[in-house]
Amino acid sequence: MSILVWTYIMVILSFGLYIFIAWRSRVKETKGFYVAGSSVPPLANGMATAADWMSAASFISMAGLVSFMGYAGTVYLMGWTGGYVLLALLLAPYLRKFGKFTVPDFVGDRYYSSTARIVALICAIFVSLTYVAGQMRGAGIVFSRFLEVEVSTGVVIGMAVVFFYAALGGMKGITWTQVAQYCVLIVAFILAAAAISYKLTGMPVPQLGFGSTLIEGERAGQYVLQAIDGIHEDLGLHRYTEAFHPGGMGMLSVVSITLALMVGTAGLPHVIIRFFTVPSVKAARISAFWALLFIALLYTTAPTVAGFARYNMIDTINDTPYTEAPSWFKNWEQTGLVAWVDKAGDGIIRFRDGDPFIGSPNLTGERGEHGERLVSNELTDNDNELYIDRDIIVLASPEMGNLPAWMVGLVAAGGLAAALSTASGLLIVIASSISHDLYYRILNPQATERQRMAVGRIMIAIAVLIAGYFGINPPGFVAEVVAFAFGLAASSFFPIIILGIFTTWVNREGAIAGMIAGISFTMMYIIQTKFMGMDPWFFGIVPEGIGTVGMLINAAVTLTVSSFTKSPPAHIRELVQNVRTPRGSGEASGH
């Protein structure tokens, strides 16, 4: 059977499973809608947390960034894995003991202020919408290639599916759906990596294969990274394993991105809320352990996928006549995510350093003399003729490695599972933040369960539409968009959550001022450098890492303002002491 048929089979089976689980888990009360009734077993919650965590950025885009950036791309590996450890150790047990549904709920009660709650609510919505846009983009990319539809059509399909099971089952349905999605995505990712590793090195364990020697091709007998470095040097590129090189990211940007991703992780509301779905603090700690183990399975495999894909990509396409290009290249060219411009006029595909043209491909609808799809972009003056969207690397790897069609379809289903699992968690954050923290806690405290559920589902629909728009018109690669969300989370939530747990004297005035200062600076910098064409002006830090600076500004403003304003009331100071005391736990409640 063809790749298309196998993809339809895998996608239909997996989507049918997700919808069946959501239908069986549908809820009618707010506690089930918000936190799955706080009844999820730790092992299942660990899987669901891992699925929530490993978004389209982790499954689809992270390996692509490492594949193209080499050593510098590992900032995403270090930042996201380190961030989860930070979250599990410093925040999760204490927030679970606090016993509230959402991050704005924690902020509102800890800082005894409706204004603080609203500011946190706005921050949570900005962070979640930015993040979910990346997931919709990822779903669109998978659909565009493997179901042979436009990216925009793929985004719409993803919107419809995720709305159905998020609105129907709430957090309860999402949790059990995410358990299934984790199984799909991890099997797809590791199985494909193992098959490629075995084919190139004879070692079926990809983590070990990455450190082994090649068994075929011109570079047989060389270690994988040694072979890639040699290919790069032959093409006049910087070495793949070179830490810092001219034209690449500087050390300050690397450190800033890593730290922004780490602390942004600890402030992500859709991950934090997962620790309210278990029955106790002890269960929260156990589920954090399981989640870290499940996350490590993918994150230790991602560098191997990146390295093998880099080798296969250059080996199968560089200096090859377009008419003899491999099938994976021609297939992905149809999506507009791969493009070739014949600068030399000889019909040979050449991959060199730099971008072949300015911007993303603008297809004209016409064909060149060799049959290639023509673009209208302004060409650059370097020798590179090849454009490959970084987000396709993982999805294209099975085809690059000539794996069976069923495995290509399985990877497509895994990519969709990663995108939709995280999107659903983010939608619940948006819905619960508005329906619980704004509508119920501030606007209408007498609202019935039915009214609150209705508002939550309406908010999911609105959020899906907004996310779909930005999925169709993305501000960057999937992982870049997600990195912006982490930066916003780092600059808004992390300082006030940490200070709210581990200090008793930080007050509402400080928290409000700190959140506004941190996220305002970060958003301003991202808009200026990403959308207004300005060069990174703060010590050259790229926009993906500016959340670190925003976090420091938030902390500085919070501490300074708190020092010159009235201390929190005695009952708040006692509350903080009780949260830090390692005994008992409060049941997650909406009151």
Side-chain angles (χ1 to χ4, degrees):
M1 289 188 289
S2 67
I3 290 175
L4 181 63
V5 173
W6 271 114
T7 302
Y8 270 109
I9 292 173
M10 295 293 184
V11 170
I12 289 173
L13 287 177
S14 58
F15 276 28
L17 176 63
Y18 306 154
I19 292 172
F20 172 76
I21 291 173
W23 178 258
R24 291 295 302 269
S25 305
R26 61 192 184 277
V27 295
K28 296 181 180 180
E29 76 285 347
T30 53
K31 189 172 182 181
F33 189 81
Y34 293 148
V35 291
S38 295
S39 60
V40 180
L43 178 61
N45 195 55
M47 282 190 178
T49 304
D52 223 348
W53 177 260
M54 292 185 293
S55 63
S58 294
F59 189 99
I60 296 175
S61 194
M62 180 177 63
L65 286 169
V66 176
S67 183
F68 272 80
M69 297 170 65
Y71 182 92
T74 58
V75 298
Y76 293 92
L77 290 169
M78 295 185 293
W80 282 330
T81 49
Y84 184 79
V85 175
L86 189 67
L87 170 65
L89 293 178
L90 287 184
L91 300 184
Y94 301 106
L95 290 175
R96 174 61 187 86
K97 188 174 181 183
F98 195 87
K100 294 297 177 181
F101 282 152
T102 65
V103 173
D105 217 6
F106 168 82
V107 172
D109 284 10
R110 163 58 181 86
Y111 294 105
Y112 51 99
S113 170
S114 296
T115 303
R117 184 188 303 275
I118 292 174
V119 173
L121 165 66
I122 294 171
C123 292
I125 292 173
F126 270 117
V127 170
S128 300
L129 283 177
T130 305
Y131 204 161
V132 78
Q135 312 316 309
M136 293 295 100
R137 167 71 174 171
I141 289 173
V142 177
F143 280 121
S144 70
R145 161 64 188 94
F146 295 107
L147 300 186
E148 298 182 0
V149 298
E150 295 294 328
V151 172
S152 56
T153 304
V155 171
V156 172
I157 296 172
M159 290 165 58
V161 173
V162 76
F163 170 76
F164 178 84
Y165 70 75
L168 183 67
M171 181 57 82
K172 183 180 179 182
I174 284 171
T175 296
W176 293 107
T177 300
Q178 286 174 335
V179 171
Q181 287 167 332
Y182 174 77
C183 295
V184 172
L185 73 88
I186 201 65
V187 168
F189 200 85
I190 291 181
L191 195 60
I196 295 172
S197 177
Y198 182 74
K199 186 171 183 179
L200 291 178
T201 69
M203 171 58 69
V205 180
Q207 291 86 343
L208 298 179
F210 197 44
S212 302
T213 57
L214 296 169
I215 60 174
E216 60 179 23
E218 295 181 2
R219 298 183 181 272
Q222 294 183 359
Y223 289 100
V224 174
L225 289 175
Q226 182 184 26
I228 298 175
D229 277 344
I231 292 173
H232 274 222
E233 290 174 355
D234 291 345
L235 297 178
L237 306 175
H238 65 84
R239 286 186 299 111
Y240 187 71
T241 56
E242 186 176 355
F244 305 104
H245 55 85
M249 282 196 299
M251 184 180 296
L252 184 58
S253 284
V254 168
V255 172
S256 297
I257 292 177
T258 303
L259 189 56
L261 295 179
M262 286 183 65
V263 298
T265 294
L268 283 177
H270 77 292
V271 177
I272 291 173
I273 201 173
R274 289 239 54 92
F275 294 99
F276 294 111
T277 64
V278 292
S280 66
V281 173
K282 180 181 179 180
R285 293 183 185 275
I286 295 173
S287 67
F289 164 78
W290 282 116
L292 185 58
L293 177 63
F294 295 139
I295 290 169
L297 290 177
L298 186 140
Y299 272 66
T300 56
T301 308
T304 73
V305 174
F308 292 143
R310 186 70 170 179
Y311 175 81
N312 277 330
M313 182 191 75
I314 299 176
D315 184 60
T316 59
I317 200 64
N318 187 53
D319 291 334
T320 299
Y322 177 82
T323 54
E324 300 175 12
S327 60
W328 73 262
F329 180 87
K330 297 292 183 65
N331 291 336
W332 280 99
E333 188 186 26
Q334 301 308 311
T335 67
L337 299 173
V338 168
W340 170 65
V341 289
D342 191 14
K343 292 182 179 180
D346 58 3
I348 305 295
I349 300 172
R350 288 182 176 82
F351 178 66
R352 300 293 187 268
D353 195 19
D355 297 320
F357 42 72
I358 298 175
S360 299
N362 294 316
L363 300 176
T364 64
E366 300 177 358
R367 298 277 180 174
E369 62 175 300
H370 306 289
E372 75 274 18
R373 301 188 73 178
L374 296 179
V375 298
S376 59
N377 302 63
E378 179 183 349
L379 302 184
T380 53
D381 58 3
N382 57 47
D383 294 330
N384 185 35
E385 301 178 341
L386 183 63
Y387 171 90
I388 296 182
D389 192 297
R390 300 176 186 183
D391 289 338
I392 76 165
I393 290 299
V394 171
L395 301 173
S397 286
E399 292 176 273
M400 290 181 187
N402 291 318
L403 299 185
W406 67 266
M407 195 169 290
V408 178
L410 180 62
V411 170
L416 289 171
L420 299 182
S421 62
T422 301
S424 58
L426 291 163
L427 292 174
I428 283 295
V429 167
I430 296 169
S432 60
S433 293
I434 295 177
S435 65
H436 178 71
D437 296 305
L438 179 62
Y439 178 69
Y440 175 60
R441 294 299 298 271
I442 296 176
L443 298 179
N444 186 11
Q446 285 75 44
T448 64
E449 291 268 326
R450 185 174 181 179
Q451 289 173 320
R452 293 162 65 189
M453 291 281 290
V455 171
R457 285 173 170 144
I458 291 171
M459 288 304 103
I460 287 178
I462 294 173
V464 164
L465 293 175
I466 296 173
Y469 171 80
F470 285 107
I472 295 171
N473 303 282
F477 297 113
V478 171
E480 287 180 331
V481 175
V482 170
F484 297 153
F486 277 73
L488 295 173
S491 62
S492 57
F493 287 132
F494 182 74
I496 61 165
I497 293 176
I498 286 291
L499 294 173
I501 293 172
F502 294 101
T503 72
T504 58
W505 58 274
V506 171
N507 62 19
R508 63 185 176 190
E509 290 82 6
I512 293 169
M515 283 189 291
I516 293 174
I519 199 169
S520 297
F521 171 81
T522 304
M523 288 184 65
M524 176 195 70
Y525 193 88
I526 291 173
I527 291 171
Q528 287 178 334
T529 56
K530 202 67 182 177
F531 304 106
M532 297 175 61
M534 292 179 61
D535 292 329
W537 50 265
F538 193 88
F539 297 100
I541 296 176
V542 295
E544 292 85 353
I546 201 62
T548 296
V549 180
M551 173 199 67
L552 296 175
I553 291 174
N554 182 334
V557 171
T558 300
L559 293 172
T560 301
V561 172
S562 296
S563 299
F564 291 97
T565 49
K566 187 178 179 180
S567 296
H571 73 277
I572 296 296
R573 296 197 298 270
E574 182 180 353
L575 172 66
V576 174
Q577 293 286 3
N578 289 337
V579 167
R580 291 209 304 266
T581 302
R583 65 176 187 272
S585 67
E587 180 182 356
S589 72
H591 305 286

